[in-house]
Every structure is written in C-alpha cells, then in structure tokens.
Amino acid sequence: MSQSIGRSCDELKKEYDTCFNKWYSEKFLKGDLRPECEEIFKKYRDCVLNAVKNKNIDKLLGEARKDDPF
Amino acid sequence: MVKFFQHTFKYEYNWDSVTLAFWLRYPNPFASHVESVDVIDRYVDPDTGVLRTTRLILKRGVLPKWGNGLIKKPEAYIIEESLINPKTQTMITLTKNITHARMMQVEEWQTFRVDPNNREFTQVKTEARVISNFGWGLTERVEGFGIKKFADGAAKSRKGMSHVLEMIREKQLLRGRGFLTI
C-alpha cells in the first residue's frame, strides 16, 4: 500500500484503504451502492487535510478543485 | 487547449479488475517516484450511482514529463479525479499537475470501457492536453516537452497497471483454490 502525504496519517490511511478496497470489490461493483467506511474516512481525511495545510499546498489544491471537470 | 497525445490500449483483464487495479496501482515497481497517494474526497452520487473520487499524488525526485531544465525542485503534486459508473461500466479519469501549473499544465484524460470485441477485456483511451503554457508559443512548448517523454511515461503507467492486475489475478486464483481466506 502507498504512503500518505502526512506520515502520521499512514495508519488511518491503511485502515481506510483496506475498508474501501473491500467495499469497492464486494459491494459497489456488485450493485450495492450503500456507502461504508464513512467513519474511518472522516478521521483519515481530517488528518490528510491537516497535512496538506501544513505543507502549504491547501491553496493550490483548492484552486485545482474549483471547477468540476466532469 | 491542445491535444498532443492520444492512445488506445487493451488490458486483457475484465473491467471490474482494471478499475480495482486503478485504486491499487501505487506502489508498483515502475512508479518509484510516487511518494504518497491520498483520497481527498470520495462519495457516491445518490441520484446517478456514480462514484466520484479525488486523490492527491506526490511525486519526488523526477521532473514532470514535460520538464526540460525549467524546473529546479523535483517535486510534483498531481490531482486525480475520477468517475466510475458500475451500471454502464465506464470509468473516466483526469490527472493533472497542480504544481508548476502556471508554467505548464497538462491534463491526461482516460476512459476505461469494456472492450467492444471481448467482454473479458478492457479498452482504455488516453488523451493528453496542454491547458496552460505561460504565454509561450504553443508549438515550441509542445515540441519542448517531448511527446516521446510523455509516451514513455504512459507506457510505464501501463506496465504498472499490468503488474498490479497480475497480482490481483494471482490473489483471486489463490482464493479460489482455498489458499487465501481474505
């Protein structure tokens, strides 16, 4: 598994990725669209967004996400 | 907006596996410069059933595909956006650099569909476009960044995906034979 941008988020990322990969292949692809992993995602995401801020790329990221490309 | 690269490729794996491999593609032996990958946002649209994901990728120690002496610090942040529709079996991805974007921003679009000639295979269409180029003449920039470099990078990405797909297949085979319980 890949690392997180914030090394302190690695554990949360591992937990989230594992949950997502399982949900994706066993539920989502089989037609069950009910979201799972939401609690761990919140924790993991908060950690990441914090790391993004600390590395001063939050503005860049915000700019890039302004327009929905799809 | 100038399209400078276009390519169609066929993975000999089914669409489900290829899209899963997309999530698992880092790390792989062909992507030694990828330092981190994080999910910034992800949700299922309740109306369309489409999975929308945004990821942030950090690459270190390598210049962008189009970098040719202009970039000093070899660190690049990339944003990856994707849409997955499991009903139509379509995945669309967009990857672009967010660092050095004012100098040059390149968007790589990919569409993953079931191969029209074989339901067990997946067809991927890749397109790359220049979005911004700092006011320089577009021809010089396109030539400057070396289309070949981009093509080489795209080939490495495919090798990485194929590597991960092979690993997924092996795992599935082991599971099927009862050697793996996870």
Side-chain angles (χ1 to χ4, degrees):
Chain A
M1 277 199 181
S2 47
Q3 290 170 1
S4 173
I5 191 175
R7 304 317 310 275
S8 61
C9 310
D10 278 348
E11 277 305 307
L12 289 169
K13 176 178 146 65
K14 192 175 179 182
E15 197 181 328
Y16 170 68
D17 279 351
T18 304
C19 184
F20 170 76
N21 293 335
K22 192 170 201 282
W23 171 82
Y24 183 77
S25 42
E26 293 175 15
K27 299 275 170 73
F28 182 76
L29 286 179
K30 296 196 156 79
D32 185 350
L33 309 182
R34 288 170 299 178
E36 284 173 17
C37 317
E38 300 196 288
E39 283 214 25
I40 179 63
F41 183 53
K42 265 190 210 111
K43 288 187 201 151
Y44 160 59
R45 190 183 181 215
D46 281 347
C47 187
V48 171
L49 292 179
N50 209 46
V52 162
K53 207 164 185 187
N54 289 336
K55 295 200 178 230
N56 288 313
I57 45 159
D58 48 328
K59 273 215 193 102
L60 266 185
L61 184 58
E63 273 292 311
R65 298 191 65 206
K66 251 193 335 189
D67 306 309
D68 191 342
F70 298 120
Chain B
M1 202 182 294
V2 173
K3 181 170 80 176
F4 69 93
F5 177 85
Q6 188 174 261
H7 187 265
T8 300
F9 183 75
K10 180 178 69 184
Y11 287 106
E12 294 187 1
Y13 295 85
N14 64 41
W15 187 84
D16 282 7
S17 297
V18 174
T19 64
L20 177 62
F22 183 73
W23 299 128
L24 303 175
R25 74 186 189 283
Y26 300 128
N28 77 67
F30 303 94
S32 49
H33 300 293
V34 172
E35 179 127 332
S36 71
V37 185
D38 285 292
V39 179
I40 300 295
D41 199 12
R42 180 177 266 151
Y43 60 90
V44 177
D45 185 313
D47 299 324
T48 61
V50 167
L51 178 67
R52 178 85 174 78
T53 304
T54 303
R55 294 202 296 182
L56 179 67
I57 298 164
L58 168 60
K59 292 190 180 181
R60 269 218 185 100
V62 66
L63 297 174
K65 284 165 190 159
W66 44 267
N68 57 347
L70 294 164
I71 287 125
K72 301 267 149 65
K73 196 175 169 199
E75 184 182 84
Y77 283 98
I78 289 128
I79 192 171
E80 173 210 272
E81 309 266 24
S82 59
L83 270 187
I84 300 184
N85 189 328
K87 286 188 221 116
T88 63
Q89 291 191 298
T90 309
M91 174 166 80
I92 303 174
T93 72
L94 161 62
T95 306
K96 65 184 181 188
N97 60 299
I98 62 174
T99 40
H100 313 114
R102 257 186 240 133
M103 194 187 309
M104 174 77 68
Q105 192 170 46
V106 174
E107 279 187 357
E108 182 181 74
W109 289 82
Q110 293 199 101
T111 306
F112 295 73
R113 289 203 168 101
V114 174
D115 186 272
N117 300 311
N118 190 328
R119 288 209 50 80
E120 291 305 307
F121 295 171
T122 304
Q123 185 189 73
V124 186
K125 289 196 174 133
T126 303
E127 239 183 53
R129 307 169 189 169
V130 180
I131 301 306
S132 71
N133 65 315
F134 205 46
W136 287 315
L138 211 44
T139 327
E140 295 94 78
R141 289 291 15 137
V142 169
E143 283 166 21
F145 46 72
I147 293 166
K148 185 182 183 300
K149 246 199 210 164
F150 192 92
D152 290 345
K156 261 208 304 188
S157 296
R158 288 195 298 274
K159 284 202 185 110
M161 280 284 284
S162 296
H163 173 89
V164 171
L165 281 162
E166 192 47 47
M167 281 175 52
I168 293 173
R169 176 170 280 175
E170 281 171 21
K171 212 173 187 181
Q172 286 168 342
L173 281 173
L174 286 172
R175 202 182 289 132
R177 288 183 198 146
F179 288 116
L180 268 185
T181 49
I182 45 137

